[in-house]
Amino acid sequence: MRKLYVIGIGAGDPDQVTMQAVKAMREADAFFVIGKGDEKRELVEVRTAILAEHVAGPHRIIEITDPPRERTPDDYTGVVRDWHERRAELLGAAFDEVDGVGAILVWGDPALYDSTLRMVELVLAGGRAFDYEVIPGVTSVAALAARHRMVLHRIGEPVHVTTGRRLREDGLGAGSTVVMLDGDCAFTDLPADGVHIWWGAYLGMPDETLIEGPLAEVGERIVTRRAELRAAKGWIMDVYLLRRR
């Protein structure tokens, strides 16, 4: 493989794919997809649908099985680094199968809570040589704001982007707080009085679901609806914004 594109494809809507991303896709001979098992097969199918819509020429899809990792470890950083290294080994072996240009389609944008670029650097550090280029994409944060028809911040205020785990540890930041990668509704641990929430799941996809309102009034509704959606599909991707009123 002489070149790799790491392409942000947005939150799931094929119309969110930028023209820059489409041009890069059309240069690729093979696309690497890290699969997450049968329960999350739809994530692979969405990528396939995006390719079918935007890439007319012949191409290969090389699927890589995601290695397992502990989800609630004591040493979170160490476990994730080990997981990245095992993923990088699999990616490196897959890269060796391609003669030409490869591409990885990344949900949202490769720069925001995604590990692909770290793994590519690990592959390069292991001795393989290829050029790579990063194509930005529409993040779930931007999609959330658009779907709720809102601005992420009030005048002169900051936006704090964090994870569910860190929300539990640190609480709300100054201004507005966007929460990603929350596996267990961390907002339920916050004092709900005076806090507003804008929540969205499966943004840009047919099952997109939005709920907004005072946290004290809609928090339990979000918890219930999220559990229903996850049970029905076997997986969920959601994001939300919190702001004190």
Side-chain angles (χ1 to χ4, degrees):
M1 189 177 69
R2 65 177 184 272
K3 184 168 184 177
L4 175 71
Y5 284 107
V6 181
I7 305 171
I9 58 171
D13 185 346
D15 290 341
Q16 291 178 352
V17 178
T18 68
M19 287 306 302
Q20 185 185 20
V22 171
K23 290 176 182 177
M25 288 180 197
R26 291 175 179 173
E27 288 187 31
D29 302 299
F31 295 87
F32 305 100
V33 176
I34 298 180
K36 294 181 178 292
D38 291 338
E39 281 190 348
K40 297 184 179 181
R41 188 70 198 173
E42 188 176 1
L43 296 176
V44 176
E45 293 170 354
V46 170
R47 288 183 174 93
T48 303
I50 288 173
L51 290 174
E53 180 157 339
H54 295 299
V55 181
H59 57 271
R60 296 170 60 195
I61 297 178
I62 300 174
E63 190 168 342
I64 302 163
T65 301
D66 196 17
R69 72 176 175 93
E70 188 180 351
R71 291 292 168 179
T72 56
D74 293 331
D75 179 14
Y76 178 81
T77 301
V79 167
V80 171
R81 282 178 178 164
D82 174 71
W83 178 53
H84 287 173
E85 290 173 0
R86 287 183 288 128
R87 272 184 154 197
E89 290 175 3
L90 296 173
L91 278 175
F95 291 169
D96 292 341
E97 299 179 15
V98 174
D99 181 15
V101 179
I104 301 175
L105 305 184
V106 176
W107 287 104
D109 183 275
L112 185 62
Y113 282 114
D114 185 82
S115 59
T116 303
L117 295 180
R118 294 189 182 96
M119 291 184 294
V120 170
E121 288 293 333
L122 286 172
V123 173
L124 288 168
R128 292 175 175 86
F130 53 87
D131 185 24
Y132 77 97
E133 185 174 340
V134 181
I135 309 297
V138 176
T139 68
S140 62
V141 179
L144 178 76
R147 297 300 293 131
H148 280 291
R149 299 180 298 184
M150 64 176 297
V151 180
L152 289 171
H153 56 85
R154 290 180 290 212
I155 296 173
E157 290 188 349
V159 178
H160 179 60
V161 183
T162 189
T163 64
R165 182 176 64 88
R166 293 304 302 263
L167 180 69
R168 279 201 164 95
E169 294 175 2
D170 304 334
L172 290 178
S176 300
T177 299
V178 176
V179 183
M180 306 177 67
L181 304 179
D182 183 1
D184 195 26
C185 297
F187 58 80
T188 57
D189 287 350
L190 298 174
D193 290 344
V195 177
H196 204 90
I197 186 169
W198 292 262
W199 176 83
Y202 310 118
L203 294 169
M205 302 177 71
D207 295 315
E208 179 180 277
T209 305
L210 304 171
I211 297 176
E212 173 262 332
L215 183 58
E217 297 178 13
V218 303
E220 285 302 317
R221 179 180 161 203
I222 293 172
V223 172
T224 300
R225 185 62 180 140
R226 187 182 190 278
E228 292 171 348
L229 291 168
R230 186 168 190 170
K233 293 175 71 69
W235 61 276
I236 191 164
M237 289 198 300
D238 62 338
V239 60
Y240 55 90
L241 183 143
L242 299 164
R243 180 185 294 158
R244 293 185 180 89
R245 295 200 302 273

